[in-house]
Amino acid sequence: MNEILEKLAYCIERGKIDKNSNYPKDLAGHDGASELTRTALELSIPANDILKNALMIGMNRIGEKFGQGRAFIPELLLSAKAMNAAMSHLKIYFDNGEATYRGTFIVGTVAGDLHDIGKNIVKMVLEGDGWKVIDLGVDVKTEQFINALNQNPDGFIGMSALLTTTMINMEKIVTDIKIIHPKVKIFVGGAPLSTDFSRRIGADGYFPDPHEFTKYLQGIL
Amino acid sequence: MDIFQFIIPFSEISLDRKSVLRDIGYPDEESAKDIIHIYDIIAGQAEKETEIKAGFIIFEQNVSLNNNCLIFGDHKFLTGQVINNQLNKIEVFALFAATIGIDFDKWSSSLFEKDPAAGFIADIIGSSIVESAADWIESKINNYFSEKGMGCTNRFSPGYCGWPVTDQKIFFSLLPENFCGITLTESCLMIPKKSVSGIIGAGKHAIKKDYQCKICNMENCFKRKQH
């Protein structure tokens, strides 16, 4: 791999955002994901190559570590933040079609529920894995999911709930969305949920952690 | 009906780094060495973002346990078999609530926007602080009943151990309005989010037993992680 792309992948893996960031300590003062992405573009490396041969490689590595119990949510978030810093330089290439997202994901915490930390973690990790994420926020009603899907008909949906009172709303939300968009894949998450619950309400999957989720998505694309 | 409310000084809260790191998933401090300095910064800031309040109310009406319910006066909690097995020798009980305040919710959310790892760690620290506040109020309740020659059960909360979270509506209807600054949404979410509510039973023969995690179906419960 090109040396600059290897360095960039390493920064993503280690969560080194930019030169000013103090994390990780052993890389203090070094260029981070932001500077290296800019340098790669100046060297005329295509945006898609930067995405696929550096950023996603770094995210996959941290994801593997997470899966093996050698990294935890904070490291995953630091890598995702470094990925976001890199992606900010690539945005124009996505906008003009020179680089492409894996797909579009619409995420939200279901109506009645205000918990957002789990949803935000999934959002960051999906973005880190090359997805365009539309975040509808918390207390999201069925119509908001449907409107977002109308505007992004190839999108996937991810919804979360942390309360047993709000998780039971998911069944109606999933049913109502699938009446209008029968082919859409809807995934659910949140502490009180389970694979069995996901099946019962007609959703397409439940994932207890974001790494398992992105691995699954890579497999079905 | 005796009602007690307290403001808990942060100095009386136990915030243990090893325990918070374990809650995040780190098996030991060595494996968290890269993020320990982030933890230390956030933990240092947490005190000024919290306003820790807790309180309890004593119910001395006749209590009965029937059909997996706790019945008292005109009220009924659907506590379920797991909790009722633990409450079976109680004569009276206390309802309690504890919170670390709304400012912490706002602070940890805005921190997540700027620095997700720090925001996430703040969220776990908040959970640890509110559990410590619940320990604090549990200890007060234990002392209250101990002075009356009674033992206490463990503490149990709506939403855990098979007790439906929807019973929060009955629970909060029994507390004074805005008790400790906590309100309940229509979907039974406590605001501030870092709040805990629950029941502790007491009686001459009441005892504190371990949580029965292996017979509960809530796989991701924090109590299961602790035991």
Side-chain angles (χ1 to χ4, degrees):
Chain A
M1 198 199 308
N2 181 315
E3 190 188 345
I4 192 98
L5 294 183
E6 176 49 46
K7 276 187 182 168
L8 183 50
Y10 186 66
C11 283
I12 299 295
E13 178 188 348
R14 298 291 313 280
K16 175 70 176 167
I17 298 159
D18 57 29
K19 197 166 190 165
N20 293 328
S21 62
N22 292 321
Y23 178 91
K25 273 189 172 166
D26 59 299
L27 296 181
H30 290 248
D31 280 350
S34 181
E35 292 84 5
L36 289 170
T37 304
R38 219 168 36 226
T39 306
L41 288 169
E42 283 163 8
L43 292 170
S44 301
I45 299 175
N48 239 356
D49 287 0
I50 296 172
L51 178 69
K52 293 196 170 118
N53 298 328
L55 307 186
M56 285 184 181
I57 300 265
M59 280 307 289
N60 276 337
R61 286 181 192 158
I62 189 69
E64 287 304 319
K65 282 185 181 174
F66 181 84
Q68 293 160 3
R70 294 190 295 129
F72 299 90
I73 295 280
E75 285 90 354
L76 209 54
L77 290 172
L78 283 156
S79 289
K81 174 98 173 160
M83 177 85 177
N84 282 358
M87 290 290 274
S88 67
H89 299 290
L90 302 186
K91 189 174 181 305
I92 53 166
Y93 300 96
F94 283 98
D95 291 344
N96 69 20
E98 215 173 295
T100 50
Y101 291 106
R102 280 189 198 272
T104 301
F105 228 99
I106 299 156
V107 297
T109 302
V110 295
D113 207 324
L114 304 176
H115 292 97
D116 60 0
I117 196 125
K119 183 261 298 170
N120 290 342
I121 290 169
V122 170
K123 174 190 169 186
M124 288 214 68
V125 175
L126 284 172
E127 283 176 341
D129 198 43
W131 290 81
K132 178 183 178 187
V133 180
I134 296 166
D135 183 3
L136 301 179
V138 296
D139 194 18
V140 179
K141 319 274 185 301
T142 308
E143 305 75 58
Q144 292 170 268
F145 282 115
I146 290 172
N147 287 343
L149 208 48
N150 289 342
Q151 287 163 29
N152 301 275
D154 295 327
F156 292 70
I157 285 187
M159 56 179 73
S160 76
L162 200 75
L163 296 169
T164 49
T165 44
T166 53
M167 74 184 234
I168 56 173
N169 295 340
M170 281 178 158
E171 181 166 11
K172 180 155 172 47
I173 298 174
V174 169
T175 305
D176 289 349
I177 292 172
K178 291 219 172 196
I179 287 170
I180 297 172
H181 294 276
K183 287 185 179 163
V184 66
K185 295 267 186 210
I186 303 177
F187 301 96
V188 293
L193 279 65
S194 64
T195 303
D196 183 47
F197 174 79
S198 161
R199 275 197 210 106
R200 278 204 319 268
I201 67 167
D204 297 285
Y206 157 82
F207 293 87
D209 79 62
H211 172 62
E212 283 300 314
F213 187 34
T214 52
K215 257 174 61 176
Y216 171 82
L217 291 172
Q218 287 167 19
I220 63 166
L221 281 181
Chain B
M1 193 161 55
D2 292 331
I3 302 176
F4 303 88
Q5 287 193 70
F6 307 91
I7 293 173
I8 307 176
F10 197 83
S11 58
E12 293 187 23
I13 288 295
S14 153
L15 181 59
D16 175 50
R17 186 167 76 181
K18 205 181 279 185
S19 159
V20 172
L21 293 174
R22 201 175 50 234
D23 288 346
I24 294 173
Y26 296 100
D28 49 48
E29 293 205 6
E30 174 60 24
S31 52
K33 62 182 189 307
D34 284 345
I35 66 110
I36 275 179
H37 78 282
I38 302 177
Y39 169 90
D40 288 342
I41 292 167
I42 301 304
Q45 291 171 350
E47 178 175 356
K48 70 177 190 337
E49 306 297 341
T50 55
E51 187 182 12
I52 308 167
K53 292 179 183 171
F56 64 92
I57 299 181
I58 303 295
F59 288 80
E60 293 181 332
Q61 298 147 277
N62 280 338
V63 181
S64 64
L65 297 164
N66 284 321
N67 296 326
N68 296 330
C69 297
L70 173 77
I71 299 160
F72 54 102
D74 298 334
H75 303 288
K76 183 165 81 173
F77 283 138
L78 305 175
T79 35
Q81 189 184 354
V82 173
I83 293 177
N84 276 14
N85 284 344
Q86 310 270 324
L87 297 180
N88 66 359
K89 289 179 179 158
I90 70 168
E91 297 155 37
V92 292
F93 63 88
L95 298 184
F96 70 89
T99 184
I100 67 170
I102 196 74
D103 287 350
F104 193 93
D105 284 357
K106 292 177 186 164
W107 174 64
S108 62
S109 291
S110 69
L111 199 54
F112 194 98
E113 293 279 314
K114 286 179 279 188
D115 183 345
F120 174 76
I121 291 168
D123 187 82
I124 304 293
I125 285 173
S127 298
S128 185
I129 294 172
V130 77
E131 279 304 317
S132 177
D135 291 342
W136 190 95
I137 201 69
E138 181 178 349
S139 168
K140 283 269 178 206
I141 293 168
N142 287 345
N143 290 342
Y144 174 91
F145 285 121
S146 169
E147 283 170 9
K148 295 177 184 301
M150 287 191 255
C152 285
T153 67
N154 224 321
R155 63 176 192 254
F156 301 95
S157 299
Y160 294 90
C161 304
W163 186 3
V165 74
T166 43
D167 267 6
Q168 286 278 42
K169 287 187 180 168
I170 301 169
F171 190 104
F172 273 81
S173 74
L174 298 167
L175 305 180
E177 199 172 332
N178 207 30
F179 187 64
C180 296
I182 304 170
T183 56
L184 200 64
T185 67
E186 188 53 35
S187 53
C188 301
L189 170 66
M190 285 183 283
I191 304 288
K193 282 191 262 185
K194 296 298 178 194
S195 300
V196 173
S197 63
I199 187 171
I200 291 175
K204 287 192 178 62
H205 303 290
I207 51 166
K208 186 170 181 170
K209 298 179 194 166
D210 284 341
Y211 284 102
Q212 301 290 302
C213 295
K214 61 178 181 287
I215 58 170
C216 175
N217 58 6
M218 198 160 174
E219 290 172 16
N220 297 311
C221 175
F222 74 100
K223 285 291 175 195
R224 185 181 293 252
K225 289 176 186 166
Q226 285 175 357
H227 291 274

